[in-house]
Amino acid sequence: RMNINDIEEDMPLDFDIFIYLPQNGKYIKYNKANQKMFGDQKERLQSKGVTHIHLKKDSEKVVRKYKARNFLNQKVKQFLNQNTQQRLAFFDTIKDRNKAIDFIESLIFYLHGKGEIKNMDNLLTTLKRLRANGNINLQLTNMIVNYV
């Protein structure tokens, strides 16, 4: 079971989702894995009083990954709405190489999904240097300075 508010609109779901029909006590498949749940679908369910969607028991690991990806996407959205000073301050909080790599990968995937490619070379260079054990603070700062 998962709260419907945890579903990110217009993003592909990595798992099948089901809704419960109390009238007949049955579950029906509402969305297949790798399909998006559009905002109007979610609103329609909520207007009918649906607060939770249901999952297969073996989806637990995939759902955790989905929630982690959504968390990173929220951080990416916040980051993109910040000015340069705020972005630098945000990167000052990242001290762990793996977290820096995860964030840059999420930023790349998010922007690619939106069709925004103007900063891709800068992001890919930063990712490559972080993976090659480049100084975390230096690489992230350099990325911000060159971010258009």
Side-chain angles (χ1 to χ4, degrees):
R1 194 168 119 138
M2 182 175 171
N3 191 307
I4 196 165
N5 292 322
D6 291 340
I7 299 293
E8 190 74 24
E9 297 171 6
D10 304 325
M11 297 292 287
L13 297 167
D14 302 331
F15 44 87
D16 295 332
I17 62 170
F18 300 82
I19 56 172
Y20 179 69
L21 301 175
Q23 305 91 319
N24 59 10
K26 295 192 180 204
Y27 294 88
I28 62 163
K29 187 183 285 188
Y30 191 76
N31 262 54
K32 293 181 184 175
N34 301 317
Q35 288 184 332
K36 296 178 181 181
M37 179 184 274
F38 296 102
D40 60 333
Q41 287 177 291
K42 187 174 169 181
E43 288 172 18
R44 192 169 39 251
L45 286 173
Q46 289 173 318
S47 73
K48 303 249 186 229
V50 175
T51 58
H52 290 83
I53 49 107
H54 299 269
L55 315 159
K56 290 182 178 177
K57 289 182 182 182
D58 62 355
S59 299
E60 186 177 330
K61 187 174 182 180
V62 177
V63 170
R64 272 198 312 264
K65 287 171 85 174
Y66 173 81
K67 287 182 177 182
R69 186 180 71 214
N70 283 350
F71 175 77
L72 282 173
N73 283 343
Q74 290 302 321
K75 291 289 186 189
V76 165
K77 288 175 190 175
Q78 289 172 358
F79 173 82
L80 292 172
N81 289 322
Q82 293 175 333
N83 63 36
T84 302
Q85 284 302 112
Q86 292 169 320
R87 289 176 179 174
L88 288 168
F90 171 73
F91 278 155
D92 276 345
T93 66
I94 299 177
K95 305 296 182 203
D96 180 73
R97 179 174 312 284
N98 291 328
K99 287 183 181 178
I101 289 171
D102 287 346
F103 182 79
I104 298 300
E105 285 176 341
S106 295
L107 187 56
I108 290 168
F109 289 130
Y110 181 83
L111 292 174
H112 183 268
K114 297 284 186 187
E116 297 178 25
I117 59 169
K118 63 183 173 185
N119 286 296
M120 258 338 127
D121 286 340
N122 182 20
L123 294 170
L124 290 169
T125 299
T126 302
L127 184 59
K128 179 181 170 184
R129 290 177 177 165
L130 285 168
R131 287 182 174 156
N133 289 328
N135 180 287
I136 298 166
N137 197 0
L138 178 64
Q139 298 310 318
L140 296 176
T141 301
N142 188 48
M143 188 209 79
I144 294 297
V145 169
N146 293 311
Y147 199 85
V148 183

